[in-house]
């Protein structure tokens, strides 16, 4: 993070922060801090022999926050924003005060309650005192007190999610400022119309970022200290294209960004004219542009985009933000709604891909390395009943249109064999029960693990189609956790190893006459459209919001002109050369 400007502790001071741009566009609105203390805090009794243990738990949390603040003070001191240091020091001083270091320990002892409740009780007492203060400067310190309490509460919670998405007021111009958001949190944005969000953590292709793009709201992640530096209700500009956050902008800056917002709106309006035009290149090659969706409620956006079908329905989102699993009938209704809604156009339903950064309540397997663990098809094969329920629901929905089944994260032949056997078993059951379904429903596989890309012939014979998941293919090829901002700079779709895997999958699929799509984020990046076309890709699947821009690029592309430049890209191994070749390709 880099922050420039004067200390934000004083009101209405303009400052700027830089993070990773994950979802383009500009939003202007008021900050809503994702405050831990506004959500419910557990209250339980602690046995008398456990009181000192609970006090130690509280002490550990305070120490953790102290270390974190010292680290923050240090990083601010060495950055362009040394003016921020006094603000961080206020938090450190508050933390050392008896009000935080001693009083909650006393409450734990006196009331024999848990540390969270003691802290909450103490915070209520402190904020009640603020109500009587006339001095504006001192009254402003209430926010600092709350922020310190929230930090301690977060430390007490460990990795557990503290917060529910409950803004104090509904406001479509509100900008959500959070330490971190899970994909499940972001999916709730559908019910709470935020204009944008920013987080301190996260990477560009984390599922959180992907959902932001699918909602077409600007988002910036990896800001590191935004939750500490921004205050509730402050005016902020989120530039999701450049990865910039401007707090308390002055009039000139505000006017400039309003102009940019209007220009973007006009661009969007212009693109709408392409909605029903067929996507074909200048030399007449037809290209299929499909949509990625998370929930049936995305159908409106899909229709507005003129998508030729759905290339990826991330079905795991039906399983999130709830305590129970959706049963067969509930899933059937959801799949049927989408299949019927697409009126005979293909709908590719990916089987449950949970694990890694997509957690589902009660289905988590504690593991050191979740991205390499029991994720996606591995999870489904370990939970045959859950898999069978989903397959039956998809098959039942298949008779209402054109459904396809997509198996995520294949890495071994045995997995594919077992997955296909599970589909056959579900079909047999339905047949025996006299339930109708499309017996020829195609079964495809996601190619997103390097092993599957390299040993593709082993998989291809048993599959009807392929879909390249470039998000995971890059993660696993380059050994970079896609949700970890500390390695985000290494996440490189143009790495020669990645490009060579993608090229070889497309080539092999075309040789075998099997349809192949790209459904990772690369498919929706207009700057990569010509490269992928030149590699032989004819099926792209992306957020509905990207489809018209990619179509515009396809319409202006000529395959014979692209071919020699793409050949050069595939031979280039120096990053600068590669970037300049891609620029020329897009000129
Ligand atoms: C991918 O990995 O590229 C993909 C499309 O799947 P997800 O992002 O849901 O892992
Ligand atoms: Mg994936």
């Amino acid at each position: 993070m880099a922050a420039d400007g004067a200390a934000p502790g004083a009101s209405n001071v303009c400052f700027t922060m830089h993070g990773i741009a994950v979802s383009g566009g500009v939003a202007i609105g008021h900050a809503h801090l994702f405050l831990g203390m506004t959500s419910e805090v557990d209250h339980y009794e602690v046995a008398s022999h456990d009181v000192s243990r609970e006090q130690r738990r509280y002490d550990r949390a305070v120490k953790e926050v102290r270390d974190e603040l010292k680290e923050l003070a240090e990083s601010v001191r060495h950055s362009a924003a040394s003016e921020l240091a006094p603000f961080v020091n206020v938090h450190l001083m508050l933390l050392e005060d008896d009000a935080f270091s001693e009083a909650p320990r006393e409450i734990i002892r006196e009331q024999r309650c848990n540390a969270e409740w003691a802290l909450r009780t103490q915070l209520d007492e402190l904020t009640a005192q603020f109500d009587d203060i006339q001095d504006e400067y001192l009254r402003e310190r209430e926010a600092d007190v709350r922020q310190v309490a929230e930090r301690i509460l977060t430390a007490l919670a460990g990795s557990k999610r503290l917060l529910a998405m409950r803004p104090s007021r509904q406001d479509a111009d509100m900008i959500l400022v959070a330490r971190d958001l899970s994909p499940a949190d972001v999916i709730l944005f559908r019910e709470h119309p935020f204009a944008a969000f920013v987080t301190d953590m996260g990477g560009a292709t984390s599922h959180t970022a992907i959902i932001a793009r699918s909602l077409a709201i600007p988002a910036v992640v990896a800001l590191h200290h935004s939750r500490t530096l921004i205050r509730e209700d402050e005016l902020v500009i989120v530039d999701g294209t450049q990865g910039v956050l401007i707090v308390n902008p002055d009039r000139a800056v505000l006017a400039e960004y309003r102009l940019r917002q209007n220009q973007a709106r006009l661009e969007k309006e212009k693109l709408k004219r392409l909605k029903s035009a067929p996507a074909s290149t200048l030399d007449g090659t037809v290209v299929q542009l499909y949509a990625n969706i998370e929930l049936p409620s995305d159908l409106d956006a899909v229709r507005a985009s003129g998508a030729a079908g759905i290339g990826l329905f991330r079905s795991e989102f039906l399983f999130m933000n709830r305590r129970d699993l959706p049963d067969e009938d509930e899933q059937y209704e959801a799949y049927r709604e989408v299949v019927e809604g697409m009126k005979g156009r293909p709908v590719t339903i990916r089987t449950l891909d949970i694990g890694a950064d997509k957690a589902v309540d009660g289905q988590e397997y504690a593991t050191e390395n979740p991205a390499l663990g029991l994720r996606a098809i591995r999870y489904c094969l370990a939970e045959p009943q859950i898999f069978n329920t989903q397959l039956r629901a998809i098959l039942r929905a298949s008779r209402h249109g054109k459904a396809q089944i997509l198996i995520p994260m294949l890495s071994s032949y045995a997995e594919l064999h077992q997955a296909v056997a599970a589909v056959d078993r579900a079909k047999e059951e339905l047949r025996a029960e006299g339930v109708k379904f499309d017996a020829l429903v195609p079964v495809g596989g996601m190619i997103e693990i390097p092993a599957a890309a390299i040993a593709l012939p082993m998989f291809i014979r048993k599959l009807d189609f392929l879909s390249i998941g470039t998000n995971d293919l890059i993660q696993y090829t380059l050994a970079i956790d896609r949700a970890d901002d500390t390695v985000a700079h290494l996440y490189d779709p143009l790495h020669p190893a990645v490009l060579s895997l993608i090229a070889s999958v497309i080539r092999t699929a075309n040789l075998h006459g099997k349809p192949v799509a790209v459904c990772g984020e690369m498919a929706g990046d207009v700057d990569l459209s010509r490269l992928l076309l030149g590699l032989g890709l004819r099926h792209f699947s992306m957020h509905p919001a990207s489809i018209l821009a990619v179509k515009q690029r396809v319409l202006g592309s000529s395959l014979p002109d692209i071919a020699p430049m793409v050949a050069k890209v595939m031979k280039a191994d120096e990053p600068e050369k590669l970037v300049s070749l891609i620029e020329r390709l897009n000129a």
Side-chain angles (χ1 to χ4, degrees):
M1 178 280 288
D4 326 305
S11 54
N12 296 331
V13 175
C14 174
F15 64 101
T16 304
M17 299 178 80
H18 301 267
I20 301 175
V22 297
S23 182
V26 169
I28 301 171
H30 292 272
H32 171 63
L33 303 189
F34 213 22
L35 273 182
M37 298 310 281
T38 58
S39 67
E40 277 172 30
V41 167
D42 280 349
H43 182 193
Y44 53 88
E45 205 176 313
V46 170
S48 52
H49 58 270
D50 278 338
V51 163
S52 51
R53 191 159 60 161
E54 193 64 9
Q55 286 175 322
R56 280 199 301 281
R57 192 165 83 85
Y58 180 77
D59 292 343
R60 270 198 306 278
V62 170
K63 179 178 177 315
E64 199 178 300
V65 174
R66 190 183 300 120
D67 292 347
E68 194 180 287
L69 285 172
K70 281 187 178 156
E71 198 187 306
L72 173 59
E74 190 61 13
S75 77
V76 160
R77 205 152 60 84
H78 296 300
S79 77
S82 52
E83 301 94 322
L84 302 185
F87 173 69
V88 178
N89 287 336
V90 168
H91 282 199
L92 266 169
M93 268 163 47
L94 281 172
L95 196 65
E96 299 306 331
D97 193 279
D98 278 0
F100 280 114
S101 63
E102 273 309 316
R105 304 180 87 256
E106 274 307 296
I107 297 171
I108 294 172
R109 191 181 59 77
E110 279 166 12
Q111 298 188 13
R112 291 229 225 108
C113 65
N114 56 315
E116 290 86 349
W117 188 255
L119 182 61
R120 165 97 247 183
T121 308
Q122 172 64 358
L123 181 73
D124 286 347
E125 196 153 303
L126 289 171
T127 50
Q129 291 167 15
F130 276 105
D131 288 345
D132 302 329
I133 293 177
Q134 300 297 320
D135 182 301
E136 199 183 326
Y137 173 82
L138 282 179
R139 256 213 332 264
E140 270 187 19
R141 300 278 74 79
E142 180 180 347
D144 295 313
V145 166
R146 282 188 174 279
Q147 284 173 10
V148 169
E150 187 210 335
R151 276 181 174 273
I152 302 173
L153 199 65
T154 306
L156 281 168
S159 60
K160 215 171 64 189
R161 293 288 313 152
L162 262 181
L163 311 165
M165 180 102 41
R166 262 175 239 125
S168 48
R169 61 188 170 104
Q170 290 287 319
D171 188 345
D173 288 331
M174 203 144 50
I175 312 276
L176 194 77
V177 181
R179 192 183 311 282
D180 198 11
L181 292 171
S182 68
D185 289 333
V186 183
I187 212 81
L188 290 176
F189 279 20
R190 287 177 162 85
E191 283 133 55
H192 300 286
F194 292 105
F197 76 81
V198 299
T199 64
D200 287 346
M201 329 259 286
T205 51
S206 64
H207 284 93
T208 301
I210 289 173
I211 309 298
R213 282 194 280 277
S214 80
L215 296 179
I217 56 171
V220 179
V221 301
L223 285 162
H224 294 180
H225 302 303
S226 64
R227 279 290 289 104
T228 320
L229 301 177
I230 299 171
R231 289 164 183 252
E232 181 75 15
D233 235 23
E234 269 181 325
L235 185 65
V236 293
I237 297 174
V238 180
D239 181 342
T241 310
Q242 300 300 323
V244 173
L245 179 73
I246 304 168
V247 185
N248 290 319
D250 61 30
R251 270 193 210 178
V253 173
L254 206 53
E256 161 70 22
Y257 274 94
R258 290 231 157 95
L259 189 71
R260 286 194 207 178
Q261 249 186 337
N262 280 338
Q263 281 166 342
R265 247 178 241 137
L266 288 176
E267 279 298 310
K268 229 169 152 180
E269 281 305 311
K270 268 203 276 178
L271 279 178
K272 281 188 187 162
R273 288 184 304 201
L274 300 180
K275 187 185 149 187
S276 45
S280 59
T281 57
L282 288 169
D283 51 291
T285 303
V286 176
V287 175
Q288 303 297 340
L289 302 182
Y290 294 140
N292 291 354
I293 65 165
E294 278 80 39
L295 290 170
S297 53
D298 291 326
L299 270 179
D300 287 344
V302 174
R303 286 191 203 104
S305 75
I310 287 174
L312 175 64
F313 179 172
R314 289 184 163 98
S315 67
E316 54 277 8
F317 284 87
L318 293 172
F319 292 66
M320 289 180 185
N321 294 312
R322 53 189 297 160
R323 291 194 185 281
D324 57 341
L325 296 172
D327 64 15
E328 184 182 315
D329 282 345
E330 187 184 336
Q331 287 189 60
Y332 162 68
E333 288 302 336
Y335 305 142
R336 175 180 132 141
E337 186 182 340
V338 177
V339 171
E340 267 183 357
M342 289 307 288
K343 299 192 166 60
R345 278 167 286 168
V347 174
T348 313
I349 303 170
R350 179 173 72 184
T351 58
L352 193 55
D353 179 4
I354 60 167
D357 64 336
K358 284 179 290 193
V360 170
D361 276 358
Q363 306 296 319
E364 291 120 48
Y365 286 81
T367 161
E368 286 283 313
N369 234 328
L372 302 182
L374 203 60
R375 198 193 140 178
I377 189 62
R378 301 170 180 186
Y379 174 88
C380 286
L381 293 176
E383 297 281 356
Q385 199 47 54
I386 293 177
F387 195 33
N388 177 260
T389 301
Q390 180 172 42
L391 292 172
R392 288 175 55 103
I394 299 175
L395 287 167
R396 282 172 58 195
S398 69
R399 79 183 180 95
H400 300 286
K402 197 167 174 211
Q404 331 197 96
I405 297 172
L406 180 60
I407 312 289
M409 234 191 134
L410 288 168
S411 67
S412 77
Y413 184 80
E415 275 166 352
L416 174 58
H417 190 75
Q418 287 171 39
V420 171
V423 175
D424 290 343
R425 206 171 311 124
K427 283 182 182 174
E428 274 161 33
E429 284 175 12
L430 291 175
R431 246 182 234 117
E433 291 163 26
V435 178
K436 290 201 175 111
F437 61 93
D438 172 7
L440 297 175
V441 63
V443 177
M446 286 201 66
I447 306 302
E448 49 185 347
I449 292 183
I454 294 165
L456 195 61
M458 175 168 98
F459 297 91
I460 212 163
R461 282 185 292 276
K462 259 186 162 327
L463 291 168
D464 298 312
F465 66 98
L466 306 176
S467 193
I468 309 176
T470 50
N471 307 333
D472 278 314
L473 188 64
I474 298 168
Q475 156 164 270
Y476 295 124
T477 304
L478 304 181
I480 292 159
D481 182 343
R482 59 195 264 197
D484 182 350
D485 68 287
T486 60
V487 288
H489 59 291
L490 298 170
Y491 194 93
D492 181 10
L494 295 178
H495 191 294
V498 173
L499 290 184
S500 134
L501 286 175
I502 295 173
S504 116
V505 172
I506 296 172
R507 200 172 40 244
T508 310
N510 288 342
L511 272 173
H512 284 77
K514 299 275 164 116
V516 56
V518 166
C519 64
E521 295 300 289
M522 282 177 79
D525 183 343
V526 272
D527 291 336
L528 301 179
S529 307
R530 285 190 180 153
L531 174 61
L532 293 171
L533 283 171
L535 294 178
L537 191 74
R538 301 293 176 259
H539 296 76
F540 294 64
S541 193
M542 66 200 84
H543 305 297
S546 310
I547 287 183
L548 292 176
V550 170
K551 190 188 275 188
Q552 191 178 35
R553 186 57 60 94
V554 170
L555 290 170
S557 302
S558 146
L559 293 183
D561 291 351
I562 288 173
M565 196 67 78
V566 170
K568 282 189 189 160
V569 170
M570 295 310 288
K571 281 196 199 113
D573 46 16
E574 287 167 27
E576 291 80 18
K577 181 137 187 245
L578 223 140
V579 169
S580 99
L581 283 168
I582 298 279
E583 273 169 16
R584 280 170 55 198
L585 187 61
N586 289 323

